[in-house]
Each structure stands twice: as C-alpha cells, then as structure tokens.
C-alpha cells in the first residue's frame, strides 16, 4: 500500500498504434459478394448504412496483445518512464489472445512490465471501466501509476458468408470492425484530472449484440450477431439518465472543450449527439476512416484530438461510453 495517498488521479498520457493495412468499403462489399453469392449487395451499402469509407486492418499474424504492446511501448516512451515505474497494468478490450491467463500478462511480458495485471471486460466500455478502476485504486492509495492497454482485432469478426436477408441484417455490422492498439497512463495527482463519473446499465438488452464463447456455449450461434435496431433501442432511457447526471454536475456540453463518444457507426453517433443536443462536428470523427475500434475508440479520439491541437492542458473533456449489454458511462476530465 502506498503511504503517500493522493486524493486524485489524472490521465497524463495517451498513445495509439494503427496498423498499416486499409480495406475500403468497396473492397469489403466485393469480398462479401464473392463469399455470399446468394445475397444482393448493393453498391455503397456500407457507406449508406454505417458511414464507412475504409477500415484499419492488421496483418493476419498480428495478435490483440501485439497491438496493445505497441501502444504501451509508445506510451512509456512519451512519458519517459521505465517499465519498472508502472504499478499496475489493466488490459481492456473486446478482443483477446486467450481466455486464460489474463491477456494483461502477455502485454506485460512483451513490454517488460513486472507489475500486477488483470483484465477488465465490458464489451466496448472496457477502457472506460478500466479508467473507473484506475481512478478508484489511485485515490485509495493502492497504486500511483496505472497503465490501461487495449488491443482490438475486430476485423477478424467479419462474417463473410451470409445466406439470407436475416443473416445479412445481423451480420453486416461485423464488416465495420477495425484493428487498433491504444494505451492510457493514469497517475496520482494533487488536483482532479478524473473529475467525476457515472455508469448505467440496461441488462435486459444483452441479446441485441452477442459473440458467444465457442468452448463453453457450444450450442449457441457462432460469430458476432448485431441487431442494430434492438441495440439502439436498448440504450433508451440511459441517455436521459446521463443528461440528468450532467445537470447535477453543472456541466453544459456546449461549454466543454472536447466531447468523445463511442462510435459503432455514423448514424448511431448522429442519433446520440441529437439526443444530447450537441453538434456531431464537435466530436472527433473516427468511424468513417478507421471503422469500429471497439474499446480503443475513446483513447483514439483523445490521441487524435491531441495531434489536431484540439486537446490542450487544462481542457475540460467529456467521455461517453456506450456498449452492448447495454451499458453506458460518462467520465468528466480536466486534461
């Protein structure tokens, strides 16, 4: 236990690793036609339904831990920290090399970290929940420096063989998944960096998007199934709770410097922004040219905003996490 208890935590660094590969929506549609000859796949379908131009794709031999490790190495280099200076590693992603042991061990072994590790899992909200955990640990004085690592290889979940219109309705969104590595450094601080957070769930909606474990749920459908309409419906009410909480925090989203929102598609982003009364242009757009980066989406927006000089020290930031389940979370930050 650390005796110098700090009462606050802050995100001090963010790093992202984007693999070289790109696959545009036309190439995705062509491949779908080749594998699913019985389907009629109209030209420009992915752009029209989801707003996808292209997605980032890693080489076949790249593992989620490889992408996470690349991001962690970049993070440590930016921070000028040796691996020995990190007290805890949290791995948070939908993707995973293994079900046992924790994926955090693989990332730690690849990056030279010798600290405790564990995985945090909550569909696309894993990183947001890892921030909640890191903040609580640091404020309790248990750790001073926590690294959150994320490696997503969502393109591997693409379902190329779809037999009929029902399968297409549940399988098409799988073709928007992206491959991204991301890492965040959360440190003890004298003033609040992570200012406040709230988390909500509507667990009755869990069936809207599923990826069953083939080892343990053998009779369940294989591959990822996403019912976009049911998924959107499962968030009903959570946006109202979130807006009410922001009011209680005296936070007006129009005066916040940066809003980051999870982006499973462009229409989803527009609906969400509409409900919160914010202009979609005020959010860093990641979906059209990267794809659905799952847990890496929020750190990706922070990293891009930093590069674009939209995120400077002292900025007020709101992170909105949305995940199948359904779950939602909001974290308010001072950068």
């Amino acid at each position: 236990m650390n005796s110098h208890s700090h009462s606050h935590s802050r995100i001090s660094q963010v790093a992202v690793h984007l693999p070289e590969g790109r696959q545009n929506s036309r190439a995705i549609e062509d491949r779908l036609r080749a594998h699913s000859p019985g389907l009629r796949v109209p030209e420009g379908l992915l752009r029209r339904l989801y707003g996808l131009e292209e997605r980032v794709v890693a080489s076949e031999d790249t593992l989620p831990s490889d992408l996470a490790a690349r991001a962690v190495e970049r993070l440590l280099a930016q921070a000028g920290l040796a691996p020995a200076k990190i007290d805890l590693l949290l791995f948070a992603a939908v993707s995973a090399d293994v079900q046992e042991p924790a994926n955090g061990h693989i990332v730690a072994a690849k990056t030279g970290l010798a600290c405790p590790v564990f995985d945090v899992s909550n569909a696309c909200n894993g990183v947001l929940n890892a921030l909640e955990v890191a903040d609580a640990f640091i404020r309790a004085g248990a750790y001073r420096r926590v690294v959150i690592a994320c490696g997503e290889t969502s393109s591997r979940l693409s379902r190329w063989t779809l037999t009929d219109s029902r399968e297409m309705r549940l399988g098409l969104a799988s073709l928007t998944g992206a491959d991204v590595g991301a890492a965040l450094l959360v440190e003890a601080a004298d003033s609040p960096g992570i200012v406040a957070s709230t988390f909500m769930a509507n667990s009755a909606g869990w069936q809207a998007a599923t990826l069953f474990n083939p080892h343990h749920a053998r009779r369940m459908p294989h591959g990822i199934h996403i019912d976009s309409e049911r998924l959107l419906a499962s968030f009903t009410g959570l946006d109202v709770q979130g807006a009410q909480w922001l009011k209680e925090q005296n936070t007006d989203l129009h005066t916040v410097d940066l809003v980051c929102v999870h982006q499973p598609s462009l229409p989803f982003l527009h609906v969400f922004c509409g409900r919160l009364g914010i202009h979609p242009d005020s959010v860093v757009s990641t979906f059209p040219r990267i794809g659905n980066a799952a847990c890496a989406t929020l750190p990706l927006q922070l990293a891009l905003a930093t590069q674009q000089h939209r995120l400077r020290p002292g900025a007020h930031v709101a992170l909105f996490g949305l995940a199948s389940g359904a779950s939602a979370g909001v974290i308010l930050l001072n950068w």
Side-chain angles (χ1 to χ4, degrees):
M1 210 60 167
N2 191 321
S3 54
H4 322 300
S5 177
H6 285 256
S7 49
H8 306 289
S9 78
R10 70 184 189 102
I11 300 172
S12 59
Q13 297 286 341
V14 58
V16 163
H17 171 67
L18 292 177
E20 308 278 285
R22 297 290 181 276
Q23 188 179 38
N24 66 31
S25 56
R26 175 173 284 182
I28 298 170
E29 289 165 4
D30 287 345
R31 186 170 169 185
L32 179 62
R33 285 187 198 101
H35 284 80
S36 302
L39 280 190
R40 201 181 71 79
V41 182
E43 196 75 38
L45 182 66
L46 292 175
R47 183 180 287 136
R48 199 166 63 249
L49 281 184
Y50 304 112
L52 186 73
E53 303 292 332
E54 62 176 2
R55 63 175 178 172
V56 177
V57 179
S59 60
E60 270 303 313
D61 56 350
T62 304
L63 293 164
S65 64
D66 293 324
L67 296 174
R70 293 289 293 275
V72 169
E73 282 165 355
R74 185 168 295 175
L75 185 85
L76 294 175
Q78 277 172 208
L81 286 174
K85 296 285 186 190
I86 305 304
D87 303 318
L88 176 69
L89 172 72
L90 302 175
F91 178 86
V94 176
S95 309
D97 297 25
V98 292
Q99 199 186 338
E100 186 176 329
N103 290 270
H105 290 294
I106 306 173
V107 177
K110 286 178 177 176
T111 52
L113 268 63
C115 58
V117 313
F118 62 91
D119 294 359
V120 176
S121 162
N122 184 14
C124 291
N125 270 346
V127 163
L128 205 70
N129 288 116
L131 279 169
E132 177 189 22
V133 170
D135 176 54
F137 273 145
I138 290 170
R139 286 192 293 117
Y143 303 104
R144 282 182 58 84
R145 286 195 191 95
V146 180
V147 167
I148 297 167
C150 175
E152 296 286 16
T153 50
S154 307
S155 76
R156 311 269 163 86
L157 300 177
S158 301
R159 293 175 60 198
W160 298 110
T161 310
L162 303 171
T163 52
D164 54 28
S165 59
R166 184 188 172 274
E167 276 204 359
M168 184 155 154
R169 190 172 70 83
L170 299 177
L172 209 56
S174 73
L175 303 178
T176 65
D179 304 339
V180 179
L184 294 161
L185 177 61
V186 189
E187 296 193 83
D190 293 320
S191 59
I194 294 177
V195 179
S197 64
T198 187
F199 292 86
M200 300 153 274
N202 169 29
S203 297
W206 75 267
Q207 288 170 314
T210 54
L211 175 60
F212 283 100
N213 186 313
H215 303 291
H216 296 287
R218 289 180 178 168
R219 295 191 175 174
M220 301 311 264
H222 283 234
I224 193 158
H225 291 68
I226 299 168
D227 185 330
S228 297
E229 280 177 33
R230 270 182 86 179
L231 188 57
L232 193 57
S234 71
F235 289 104
T236 305
L238 299 185
D239 51 336
V240 178
Q241 287 178 47
Q244 177 58 34
W245 180 80
L246 286 167
K247 227 181 235 138
E248 288 161 13
Q249 302 300 313
N250 298 315
T251 300
D252 176 0
L253 291 180
H254 297 99
T255 62
V256 168
D257 298 302
L258 182 70
V259 177
C260 299
V261 181
H262 178 63
Q263 297 172 27
S265 75
L266 219 48
F268 189 99
L269 176 66
H270 289 161
V271 167
F272 183 81
C273 288
R275 285 183 183 173
L276 283 176
I278 53 175
H279 202 282
D281 288 352
S282 65
V283 177
V284 180
S285 174
T286 55
F287 183 86
R289 301 229 157 259
I290 290 168
N292 183 350
C295 279
T297 308
L298 293 174
L300 185 56
Q301 288 172 65
L302 291 171
L304 290 172
T306 306
Q307 287 166 23
Q308 296 165 9
H309 305 293
R310 287 173 68 171
L311 186 53
R312 295 191 175 87
H316 298 298
V317 183
L319 304 180
F320 287 90
L322 303 151
S324 56
S327 75
V330 191
I331 294 184
L332 299 178
L333 306 172
N334 289 331
W335 196 251

